[in-house]
Amino acid sequence: MKIKINNKEVEAAVGTTLAELLEQQSVPAAGIATAVNGVVVPASARASHPLADGDSIVVIKAFYGG
């Protein structure tokens, strides 16, 4: 299935969870916020959040400074 992460299209197997996709794409699990189709998915729910063909994921990395 085709999924977009920050507007980059990637391929994923049917049944892939958000946590699995992030790991496959080498996105570190700590220090990020995630949303799927505009809905925030907390870190505690990523491993159980199934993805579907056409989903759009936004990953925001926290950083310090000003």
Side-chain angles (χ1 to χ4, degrees):
M1 60 186 175
K2 294 181 191 269
I3 296 174
K4 286 188 178 181
I5 300 178
N6 292 348
N7 292 320
K8 176 186 170 194
E9 194 170 273
V10 297
E11 289 284 334
V14 173
T16 299
T17 66
L18 178 55
E20 291 168 338
L21 185 67
L22 294 174
E23 184 177 329
Q24 291 168 8
Q25 297 298 312
S26 301
V27 176
I32 63 168
T34 55
V36 177
N37 300 324
V39 178
V40 173
V41 179
S44 61
R46 291 179 195 149
S48 62
H49 188 93
L51 298 173
D53 188 47
D55 278 352
S56 180
I57 300 166
V58 174
V59 178
I60 301 171
K61 184 172 182 153
F63 63 93
Y64 300 97

